[in-house]
Amino acid sequence: MKKKLLISDIAKQLNISITTVSFILNGKAKEKRISDSLTARVLKLVEEVNYKPNQLAQSLRTGKTKTIGLMVEDISNTFFANIARLIEEKAYKAGYKIIYCSTEDDTAKTRDLISMFRDKHVDGYIITPPPGVEEDIKELIAEGLPVVLLDRTLPGLPTNFVGVDNRMGSYSATEHLIGQGYKKIALVTTESGQSQMLQRLEGYEQAMAHHQLAPKLLKIPFRVTTEDMIPKIMAFLDDLRQRDDLDAVLFATNYLALRGLEAIDKLELRVPADVGVVGFDDHDIFRLYKPSVTAVAQPTEAIADQVINMMLDQLDTDDRKQATTTQTAVLPTSLIVRNSTTRR
Amino acid sequence: MKKKLLISDIAKQLNISITTVSFILNGKAKEKRISDSLTARVLKLVEEVNYKPNQLAQSLRTGKTKTIGLMVEDISNTFFANIARLIEEKAYKAGYKIIYCSTEDDTAKTRDLISMFRDKHVDGYIITPPPGVEEDIKELIAEGLPVVLLDRTLPGLPTNFVGVDNRMGSYSATEHLIGQGYKKIALVTTESGQSQMLQRLEGYEQAMAHHQLAPKLLKIPFRVTTEDMIPKIMAFLDDLRQRDDLDAVLFATNYLALRGLEAIDKLELRVPADVGVVGFDDHDIFRLYKPSVTAVAQPTEAIADQVINMMLDQLDTDDRKQATTTQTAVLPTSLIVRNSTTRR
DNA sequence: CTGAAAGCGCTAACAA
DNA sequence: TTGTTAGCGCTTTCAG
């Protein structure tokens, strides 16, 4: 078990002071006018013996951990998993590590996590907020900590935010269905008051209204388990079907669409002949499924870019309580037309 | 921005020494025979003002971070995502946090990650090792750090390990196919020398040999991109098909099965009539796909349990270089029979 | 250019 | 039972 190297070890070996080594290691050699040759010798030795400063000590001293906390609704959802992967990659390039967690859209859990991140002294917070965490986030901001909200905003809380134009996304999805000759279009969404879900609802309603079509809604409570979702969707669709009032469905999230496809399958409805299907958020399965499923795709790469840029921006602007200006990025979605909405 | 509370603040407020507070907070009140009433008062104040010890300082002092590093091959693969989620949950209950990372089965990246974890001073390592990291892992063990390998072992490296009986898993999957009347059974696997893949190959070969059937293999190089995989699989299957030498395929991982299904689809083969299909590692899609896909399922919950238990075990046994005894858990898989292998 | 020294906040041996 | 105090390893001010 080889002894851990200390900065003092390397100072000693070179017969110079710890200070000098520290300056050089922190890129202040020029600033402190340390000779190039000394600088080179130090760097060389550090390299050779593979000295690594103790990050804990560093962080304790500087108050910076070079770590960003990322809390998404559900890391096992491909949409969030992709965003997380991209953010991590980009953060890494800027010298930051990412710690992730899933909120499961649970207020209590999220507050716990925020508190855990604070304990860990993360330098910045990227959050997909569940309802009810407004106060906690306000507090973070009040303490001058960088915060970027992702995917959804919190009502009455001006914050740095990155998301997509959800209203437009579902509006154009609905328009697309109508363009394909579908008229009896239902929307299956969640009951939550999350901003992005409300916008998706709004877009659908506007498109329907625009064509004088009657909206048909199913709102699934958030806490419903995967298994319970399917019968609920089946009952809803079957009921409409009985009344001959259904020929297409827009699902407001990818997991709703997944459950929805199972429901449709069990009802033995044919897609796209009996019902057209569109999902919000693309998913691998949609490409594979038969028929392949039309989806409103979010630009994950662009989202990740914006998020990390906003974060690094704030991190750079250092202390300065720049909480005054908040940035917002609303990105466009794109409709990926596949076979589930193509009637011939 | 409220001032961060220090242990000295709370000592001062109660007119007692820092030591006393520290002892109480660390559960040493009894041991140090501090009066119950004082203990209660301290705990009460701590609760009231919501004092939280600075973890960085704590860790710097004690050398423990209460953090476990978890490196899986690919966190976006449902198999690993599930395991990770379960491990995190169980670790959390024991007071440990988890930091995850994906190795992407890349040796260099993994070594980087191990080194990053060391920088972060994680207390233990749970690793799905790619080839070529034997030395790094040996070093960890040599330094007395707890290590548990997951999913696959490293040749010539006795370590704590949790995995499944891969040989038996593919053996029984192959037997199942044979039982269903399939005879011209192919195996699509990766080229890697990973222990678990070799075992899956072995099980298949043994079952085929047992029935005097000729094995037919496709080994896909690991670095092949998703897109390139499909044509490779298509070519392989089509070739066998031409020679009338194919009626079933066993895919050695869930992502191979996914690509394989796409390939089979493009070849316009019918499942299970033209070809029977079995995947190794279950996947949500397999339930949803039409027809639903038979799979060899790993007991994720049990795996996570074993992993975390072994880890906590080592963490508890404290310093003691208990590197002498290594534990191994090999769990059974189960075959989930679905429609992709049921010929009528 | 370089060194001494003061902490960052907490734990725990040693005293009292 | 409780207080004093010496660090954990590093950064950074201040003085040469």
Side-chain angles (χ1 to χ4, degrees):
Chain A
M1 162 135 73
K2 62 173 188 235
K3 205 79 225 79
K4 236 344 191 176
L5 287 166
L6 305 184
I7 193 170
S8 56
D9 293 329
I10 105 117
K12 208 168 295 167
Q13 240 170 100
L14 256 29
N15 258 304
I16 56 177
S17 85
I18 291 181
T19 316
T20 308
V21 179
S22 175
F23 281 152
I24 294 177
L25 255 28
N26 291 295
K28 300 198 174 144
K30 282 276 175 282
E31 182 184 327
K32 300 293 177 183
R33 294 195 286 182
I34 293 170
S35 74
D36 284 1
S37 73
L38 216 206
T39 303
R41 280 170 57 216
V42 170
L43 259 19
K44 180 153 166 289
L45 179 60
V46 163
E47 172 78 8
E48 269 173 28
V49 300
N50 190 28
Y51 163 74
K52 296 268 189 55
N54 181 322
Q55 287 192 1
L56 287 169
Q58 241 171 349
S59 298
L60 178 59
R61 188 57 239 241
T62 61
K64 301 269 157 251
T65 52
K66 286 286 183 179
T67 302
I68 296 170
L70 170 59
M71 310 175 33
V72 296
E73 178 174 316
D74 174 11
I75 194 74
S76 67
N77 180 320
T78 52
F79 170 63
F80 292 116
N82 281 325
I83 299 248
R85 194 170 44 71
L86 292 166
I87 289 182
E88 176 175 14
E89 195 180 310
K90 290 168 205 294
Y92 193 77
K93 285 185 186 140
Y96 282 88
K97 324 268 178 300
I98 295 281
I99 313 187
Y100 345 60
C101 281
S102 297
T103 66
E104 287 161 35
D105 216 55
D106 179 311
T107 309
K109 182 172 181 197
T110 305
R111 303 184 63 182
D112 264 8
L113 290 173
I114 291 181
S115 142
M116 189 197 100
F117 279 175
R118 300 191 62 166
D119 288 353
K120 279 203 169 312
H121 297 257
V122 304
D123 294 342
Y125 298 76
I126 299 174
I127 308 180
T128 278
V133 297
E134 291 81 358
E135 284 312 314
D136 306 71
I137 290 181
K138 262 187 207 155
E139 206 171 301
L140 292 178
I141 297 173
E143 304 204 14
L145 296 166
V147 174
V148 175
L149 257 34
L150 176 59
D151 187 52
R152 66 201 70 165
T153 53
L154 246 20
L157 188 60
T159 344
N160 298 293
F161 166 75
V162 180
V164 297
D165 190 340
N166 290 287
R167 196 196 55 75
M168 197 58 203
S170 58
Y171 186 93
S172 56
T174 310
E175 280 281 347
H176 163 71
L177 283 168
I178 295 171
Q180 291 292 315
Y182 294 103
K183 288 194 157 42
K184 305 162 186 168
I185 306 169
L187 173 72
V188 175
T189 181
T190 60
E191 212 172 44
S192 94
Q194 296 170 353
S195 65
Q196 88 284 21
M197 298 310 279
L198 295 178
Q199 290 163 3
R200 290 175 196 180
L201 169 59
E202 192 186 341
Y204 160 78
E205 284 178 334
Q206 287 179 352
M208 293 297 276
H210 186 65
H211 292 268
Q212 281 95 44
L213 295 173
K216 306 158 214 314
L217 278 187
L218 173 63
K219 294 189 178 183
I220 307 229
F222 195 82
R223 287 272 147 265
V224 167
T225 65
T226 298
E227 283 66 41
D228 294 346
M229 242 178 240
I230 297 176
K232 276 201 172 21
I233 298 176
M234 284 179 69
F236 171 69
L237 297 181
D238 198 35
D239 178 54
L240 289 174
R241 195 74 191 160
Q242 300 295 336
R243 304 205 308 267
D244 189 26
D245 196 18
L246 176 76
D247 61 11
V249 198
L250 169 59
F251 292 98
T253 73
N254 59 18
Y255 63 83
L256 285 174
L258 253 29
R259 306 308 154 230
L261 289 170
E262 285 203 60
I264 288 171
D265 190 37
K266 289 199 175 151
L267 289 174
E268 302 188 350
L269 299 177
R270 290 162 308 156
V271 179
D274 297 336
V275 277
V277 172
V278 180
F280 207 110
D281 283 352
D282 202 9
H283 194 294
D284 271 348
I285 305 188
F286 294 167
R287 239 187 36 252
L288 217 59
Y289 199 79
K290 280 192 273 182
S292 57
V293 180
T294 297
V296 178
Q298 303 198 39
T300 45
E301 177 109 29
I303 292 175
D305 265 332
Q306 289 285 352
V307 167
I308 201 66
N309 286 343
M310 270 188 204
M311 180 50 72
L312 293 177
D313 242 42
Q314 292 184 75
L315 252 14
D316 288 346
T317 319
D318 231 354
D319 39 347
R320 186 100 20 264
K321 273 265 189 42
Q322 83 297 23
T324 32
T325 46
T326 64
Q327 307 180 57
T328 296
V330 175
L331 278 26
T333 57
S334 56
L335 186 69
I336 302 184
V337 177
R338 298 204 181 90
N339 297 326
S340 67
T341 53
T342 9
R343 274 182 169 173
R344 28 224 90 195
Chain B
M1 163 136 70
K2 60 173 187 237
K3 206 77 223 78
K4 238 341 196 178
L5 286 165
L6 305 184
I7 192 170
S8 56
D9 293 329
I10 104 116
K12 208 168 298 168
Q13 234 168 104
L14 256 29
N15 258 305
I16 56 178
S17 86
I18 290 180
T19 317
T20 309
V21 179
S22 175
F23 281 151
I24 295 177
L25 254 29
N26 290 295
K28 296 191 177 151
K30 283 274 175 286
E31 182 185 325
K32 300 294 178 182
R33 294 196 285 179
I34 293 170
S35 74
D36 285 1
S37 72
L38 214 206
T39 303
R41 279 170 58 216
V42 169
L43 259 20
K44 180 153 167 288
L45 179 60
V46 163
E47 170 78 6
E48 271 175 26
V49 301
N50 191 28
Y51 163 73
K52 297 267 189 56
N54 181 323
Q55 287 190 3
L56 286 168
Q58 238 170 355
S59 298
L60 177 58
R61 189 59 239 242
T62 62
K64 301 270 158 251
T65 52
K66 285 289 183 176
T67 301
I68 296 170
L70 170 59
M71 308 175 35
V72 295
E73 178 174 316
D74 174 11
I75 194 73
S76 67
N77 180 319
T78 52
F79 171 63
F80 292 115
N82 280 325
I83 299 247
R85 193 170 45 73
L86 290 167
I87 289 182
E88 177 177 12
E89 194 180 310
K90 291 168 205 294
Y92 192 77
K93 285 188 185 139
Y96 282 88
K97 325 269 179 297
I98 297 281
I99 314 188
Y100 347 58
C101 281
S102 297
T103 66
E104 286 162 37
D105 216 55
D106 179 310
T107 309
K109 181 172 182 197
T110 305
R111 303 183 64 182
D112 264 9
L113 290 174
I114 291 180
S115 143
M116 187 197 102
F117 279 175
R118 300 190 63 165
D119 287 353
K120 278 204 168 312
H121 298 259
V122 303
D123 293 341
Y125 298 76
I126 300 174
I127 308 182
T128 280
V133 298
E134 290 80 357
E135 284 312 314
D136 306 70
I137 290 182
K138 261 186 204 152
E139 206 173 299
L140 292 178
I141 297 174
E143 304 205 11
L145 296 167
V147 174
V148 175
L149 257 35
L150 178 59
D151 188 53
R152 67 202 68 167
T153 53
L154 246 20
L157 186 60
T159 347
N160 297 294
F161 168 73
V162 179
V164 297
D165 189 341
N166 290 285
R167 196 197 54 75
M168 196 57 202
S170 58
Y171 185 93
S172 56
T174 311
E175 280 282 347
H176 163 71
L177 284 169
I178 295 170
Q180 291 290 316
Y182 294 104
K183 288 192 158 42
K184 305 162 186 168
I185 306 169
L187 174 72
V188 175
T189 181
T190 59
E191 213 172 44
S192 94
Q194 296 170 354
S195 66
Q196 87 285 21
M197 299 309 281
L198 295 178
Q199 290 164 3
R200 291 175 196 180
L201 169 59
E202 192 185 341
Y204 159 80
E205 284 179 332
Q206 287 180 353
M208 293 298 276
H210 186 65
H211 291 268
Q212 282 96 44
L213 295 174
K216 309 163 211 315
L217 278 186
L218 173 63
K219 293 189 179 183
I220 307 235
F222 195 82
R223 287 273 147 262
V224 166
T225 65
T226 298
E227 283 66 40
D228 293 346
M229 244 178 237
I230 297 176
K232 277 203 170 25
I233 298 176
M234 283 178 70
F236 171 68
L237 297 181
D238 198 34
D239 178 54
L240 289 175
R241 195 73 191 163
Q242 300 294 338
R243 307 203 309 267
D244 189 26
D245 196 20
L246 176 76
D247 61 10
V249 197
L250 169 58
F251 292 98
T253 73
N254 58 19
Y255 63 85
L256 286 173
L258 252 28
R259 306 306 156 232
L261 289 171
E262 285 203 60
I264 288 171
D265 188 36
K266 288 198 175 152
L267 290 173
E268 300 189 350
L269 300 177
R270 288 161 311 155
V271 179
D274 297 337
V275 277
V277 172
V278 180
F280 207 111
D281 285 352
D282 201 9
H283 194 293
D284 271 349
I285 305 188
F286 294 168
R287 241 186 38 252
L288 216 59
Y289 199 78
K290 279 189 268 176
S292 56
V293 180
T294 297
V296 178
Q298 303 199 38
T300 44
E301 176 110 28
I303 293 175
D305 264 331
Q306 291 283 353
V307 167
I308 200 67
N309 286 342
M310 271 188 203
M311 180 48 73
L312 294 176
D313 242 42
Q314 292 183 78
L315 253 12
D316 288 345
T317 320
D318 231 353
D319 38 349
R320 187 98 23 266
K321 273 266 188 42
Q322 82 297 20
T324 33
T325 47
T326 64
Q327 308 179 57
T328 296
V330 175
L331 277 24
T333 58
S334 56
L335 186 70
I336 301 183
V337 177
R338 298 205 181 90
N339 297 326
S340 66
T341 54
T342 10
R343 275 184 168 171
R344 29 225 86 199

